[in-house]
Amino acid sequence: MRLKTFDTSSLTSTEMQGYLHYAIAPRPICFVSTVDKNGEVNLSPFSFFNVFSINPPICVFSPTSRMRDNTAKHTLENVLEIPQCVINVVSYDMVQQTYLTSKDYPRGVNEFSKAGFTELASETVKPPRVAESTVQLECVVNDVISLGKNGGAGNLVIAEVKRIHINEDILDAYGKIDPHKIDLVARLGGDWYCRVTGDSLFKIAKPIDSTGIGIGVDAFPKEVKNSNVLTGNDLGLLGLVKNLPSDEEVEAFSKTDEMKELLDATIDSHTRAIHLHLKAKHLLDKGRVMDAWKVLLI
Ligand SMILES: Cc1cc2nc3c(=O)[nH]c(=O)nc-3n(C[C@H](O)[C@H](O)[C@H](O)COP(=O)(O)O)c2cc1C
């Protein structure tokens, strides 16, 4: 792999933004409502955002100072005046209206009206919730930490969640949020976004044993570790097992019908090893991790 390397001090802010926005992606989007000291409402999206603590429940987002003139964004001014906000999640069917609110309307303009969203009164804080959002978090702002003085410097808004409202339509039969139903969007670099749906959703299997610690790739026989057939993801799956199968288990599996044709074929040992690795890969794709190991150890 050939790497292009930069000293960040040699990059312009625009170049830095380009590389970081594209590389640190996808980023969840929080849609933040705030009020100023006169009660005027503001609504803006931020993708420098995440959850950073569960107990206490803390989210952080970062309105940077405007790159063009180093002025503060209205959201930042508002939380410094009234340290409260509502963080609303953004689903696919809201994304174009959400984008509309990111335009530089003058202070005091209510972006709920500009974008056609509905204000829903909050229960514990002054800023209203976005009725169309499927998860709305009422928060108090515990702290605001400035990260610098230049245009583009971030301001970490430390928001403690006090109340969570969830649209029941996105819950599964167990009352948990269903990732297929919440239909989130996230931001990448430039004008790129992604929708968290369909084929982009997948699960990672838990380790096979109850202790939750697999043997790891460093414990593999070297022919498996250095396989030209198995990918990094295949090695990761194989590394989840607690123990390798015993010689007896390998022997028994080699006698099964599904192995017969492959093992009876008259081919040289190198070709046979490739076929065995291909067979193991096929079994891994079917979730049969222990059987894949039995094939690799034949
Ligand atoms: C999806 C999306 C994500 C954004 N994320 C951020 C961000 O994390 N930080 C930031 O300063 N601006 C971000 N922006 C730009 C702000 O939303 C924009 O500057 C907005 O005008 C700020 O509004 P305000 O001045 O009313 O607070 C984002 C825009 C979009 C469309």
Side-chain angles (χ1 to χ4, degrees), residues 21 27-30 34 42-49 61-66 72-78 95 98-106 109 111 153 186-187 193:
H21 272 189
R27 298 181 303 283
I29 302 171
C30 67
T34 52
N42 192 88
L43 180 64
S44 300
F46 296 94
S47 68
F48 295 169
F49 162 64
F61 64 94
S62 174
T64 61
S65 61
R66 293 192 185 88
K73 295 193 175 173
H74 302 143
T75 303
L76 176 64
E77 293 177 314
N78 285 2
V95 70
T98 303
Y99 180 70
L100 193 54
T101 68
S102 74
K103 297 296 124 199
D104 256 340
Y105 295 105
V109 167
E111 288 94 352
R187 191 171 193 196
Y193 290 76

Side-chain angles (χ1 to χ4, degrees), residues 69-94:
D69 57 7
N70 197 8
T71 52
K73 295 193 175 173
H74 302 143
T75 303
L76 176 64
E77 293 177 314
N78 285 2
V79 294
L80 290 171
E81 285 180 11
I82 306 289
Q84 300 181 342
C85 65
V86 178
I87 290 175
N88 305 274
V89 304
V90 179
S91 53
Y92 182 73
D93 57 9
M94 300 165 60

Side-chain angles (χ1 to χ4, degrees), residues 223-297:
E223 313 75 59
V224 176
K225 191 158 49 173
N226 300 329
S227 168
N228 289 324
V229 172
L230 301 170
T231 64
N233 280 337
D234 294 330
L235 298 187
L237 280 168
L238 289 166
L240 279 179
V241 299
K242 186 180 180 189
N243 295 306
L244 295 182
S246 64
D247 291 347
E248 293 72 34
E249 288 171 315
V250 172
E251 171 78 13
F253 195 72
S254 70
K255 302 223 162 69
T256 58
D257 286 348
E258 81 174 295
M259 292 307 297
K260 194 169 172 8
E261 194 183 336
L262 200 162
L263 293 175
D264 287 352
T266 38
I267 44 178
D268 63 84
S269 61
H270 177 69
T271 311
R272 191 165 154 242
I274 291 175
H275 284 214
L276 287 171
H277 282 214
L278 286 167
K279 172 73 180 173
K281 189 170 172 48
H282 176 74
L283 291 171
L284 285 173
D285 291 343
K286 300 242 170 293
R288 294 170 59 189
V289 181
M290 271 328 246
D291 287 344
W293 264 120
K294 289 172 197 163
V295 172
L296 291 168
L297 295 175

